[in-house]
Amino acid sequence: MANVTLVTGFLLVGFSNVQELQILYGVLFLAIYLAAVMSNLLIITLITLDLQLKTPMYFFLKKLSLLDVFFVSVPIPKFIVNSLIHNNSISILGCAFQLLLMTSFSAGEIFVLTAMSYDRYAAICCPLHYEAIMSDGACVLMASASWAIGGLFGAVYTAGTFSMPFCGSSVIPQFFCDVPSLLRISCSQTLMVIYISIGIGTCLGMSCFICIVISYVYIFSTVLKIPTTKGQSKAFSTCLPHLIVFTVFIITSYFVYLKPPSNIPSVIDRLLSVVYTVIPPILNPVIYSLRNNDMKRALIRLVQKTSGQEAHLI
């Protein structure tokens, strides 16, 4: 048997080996990270404090924003620190923990987006029974199931990946631990466990995708029957943002987690990883808030309330 060197840690390759550029990328990602976290925390604050936003749609939007905050906080701070101190190393345990959290939060986000499509279906196609279908208990159950199934999938996926020994190169050509890169440096002859995990992930993702497609077939057929253009526009304005967010997230998730490993990672792989980790947490607040009059009014009420309290204290 040939001698092999078992990997005891990994090196995360960023976007440049030049120290000045590393600092530039670190500062850039810091600004993006702060924008993503602050915008999502603003949504969470508005939905929590404003009584007029206590509806199932905003209940799930709050969960989505919370998942976005958790999700973007897993790889980006590590990358920022690595860029500023010029140290790209990560331990096997740290890599496993990063993979566990990212897969759990991303899977949970897909399930929350699926629940949001069901909420839109119930609101548009079954308006008379909407309150019964989307009761408080049903919303809590769907949200809890999203977190639980996401966590279970993350645990299975991570266990399957790190059940294999790694040998040879310790370089991961990404700014976070991704499965295709780990499979590339695995010295295991049998990858049955990880392929089963990938199969489970594919089935879950396709199930959510099919559910959302079916929901929107019914939604669009119902909306097109609305006699007024204004009514159609209002219905589409609540559905299209959700469809855009889900499409971007599911496509980039596929390329990050489910694509076959390649011997030579391309620049496109890294760009898709950036889109996957950064764009959804920034895109969600923009899509759901700037085009949402309820959120705008809630923000105005919060500002007025805060200003009134400050004036009273003065």
Side-chain angles (χ1 to χ4, degrees), residues 258-277:
L258 302 179
K259 73 179 183 65
S262 58
N263 292 328
I264 303 177
S266 64
V267 176
I268 300 298
D269 292 336
R270 297 183 187 179
L271 291 177
L272 286 172
S273 298
V274 173
V275 172
Y276 166 71
T277 54

Side-chain angles (χ1 to χ4, degrees), residues 16-314:
S16 175
N17 293 324
V18 181
Q19 290 191 357
E20 289 75 11
L21 289 178
Q22 288 179 0
I23 295 175
L24 178 62
Y25 286 127
V27 173
L28 176 62
F29 271 75
L30 176 60
I32 295 174
Y33 173 72
L34 291 177
V37 170
M38 292 175 65
S39 57
N40 280 284
L41 288 178
L42 178 61
I43 289 180
I44 295 171
T45 302
L46 290 176
I47 297 175
T48 301
L49 298 180
D50 199 298
L51 297 178
Q52 297 186 29
L53 299 181
K54 302 299 182 184
T55 64
M57 182 177 73
Y58 294 109
F59 171 83
F60 288 115
L61 179 55
K62 179 180 176 180
K63 304 305 178 187
L64 183 66
S65 295
L66 190 62
L67 282 169
D68 279 336
V69 171
F70 290 152
F71 176 73
V72 77
S73 297
V74 176
I76 303 303
K78 173 66 175 175
F79 172 73
I80 294 172
V81 173
N82 286 351
S83 299
L84 296 179
I85 67 174
H86 312 298
N87 180 13
N88 296 332
S89 63
I90 185 172
S91 65
I92 288 183
L93 182 60
C95 187
F97 194 59
Q98 192 178 76
L99 182 62
L100 170 64
L101 293 179
M102 290 191 69
T103 51
S104 298
F105 293 144
S106 61
E109 188 155 340
I110 290 175
F111 284 111
V112 169
L113 288 168
T114 305
M116 293 175 73
S117 72
Y118 181 70
D119 169 71
R120 291 299 83 205
Y121 161 78
I124 294 174
C125 300
C126 310
L128 298 179
H129 304 285
Y130 177 69
E131 292 186 1
I133 295 173
M134 301 301 296
S135 63
D136 292 342
C139 291
V140 171
L141 180 62
M142 284 190 281
S144 301
S146 299
W147 284 83
I149 298 175
L152 179 61
F153 171 68
V156 171
Y157 204 73
T158 304
T161 303
F162 283 88
S163 64
M164 310 173 298
F166 302 101
C167 57
S169 175
S170 61
V171 176
I172 295 179
Q174 288 283 9
F175 64 94
F176 64 91
C177 291
D178 68 322
V179 171
S181 297
L182 293 172
L183 291 180
R184 193 181 302 114
I185 61 177
S186 169
C187 52
S188 175
Q189 299 299 317
T190 59
L191 301 176
M192 185 60 65
V193 176
I194 187 59
Y195 285 147
I196 292 175
S197 302
I198 292 175
I200 294 173
T202 303
C203 291
L204 290 175
M206 287 302 299
S207 299
C208 293
F209 177 77
I210 291 172
C211 289
I212 290 179
V213 169
I214 293 174
S215 297
Y216 275 99
V217 168
Y218 282 104
I219 288 171
F220 289 149
S221 62
T222 301
V223 169
L224 292 176
K225 295 176 184 177
I226 298 176
T228 63
T229 305
K230 183 178 180 180
Q232 290 181 351
S233 177
K234 183 178 180 180
F236 279 125
S237 66
T238 63
C239 296
L240 290 180
H242 170 267
L243 197 57
I244 292 171
V245 169
F246 179 80
T247 301
V248 171
F249 193 77
I250 199 71
I251 290 176
T252 53
S253 296
Y254 168 79
F255 281 101
V256 171
Y257 289 109
L258 302 179
K259 73 179 183 65
S262 58
N263 292 328
I264 303 177
S266 64
V267 176
I268 300 298
D269 292 336
R270 297 183 187 179
L271 291 177
L272 286 172
S273 298
V274 173
V275 172
Y276 166 71
T277 54
V278 172
I279 297 302
I282 291 180
L283 192 64
N284 292 352
V286 173
I287 287 180
Y288 285 112
S289 299
L290 294 183
R291 294 177 55 86
N292 190 309
N293 291 326
D294 291 337
M295 295 293 293
K296 291 178 183 178
R297 287 191 288 266
L299 179 59
I300 293 173
R301 286 192 293 270
L302 179 62
V303 172
Q304 291 175 343
K305 183 179 179 181
T306 304
S307 300
Q309 290 176 347
E310 290 178 353
H312 178 72
L313 291 174
I314 293 174

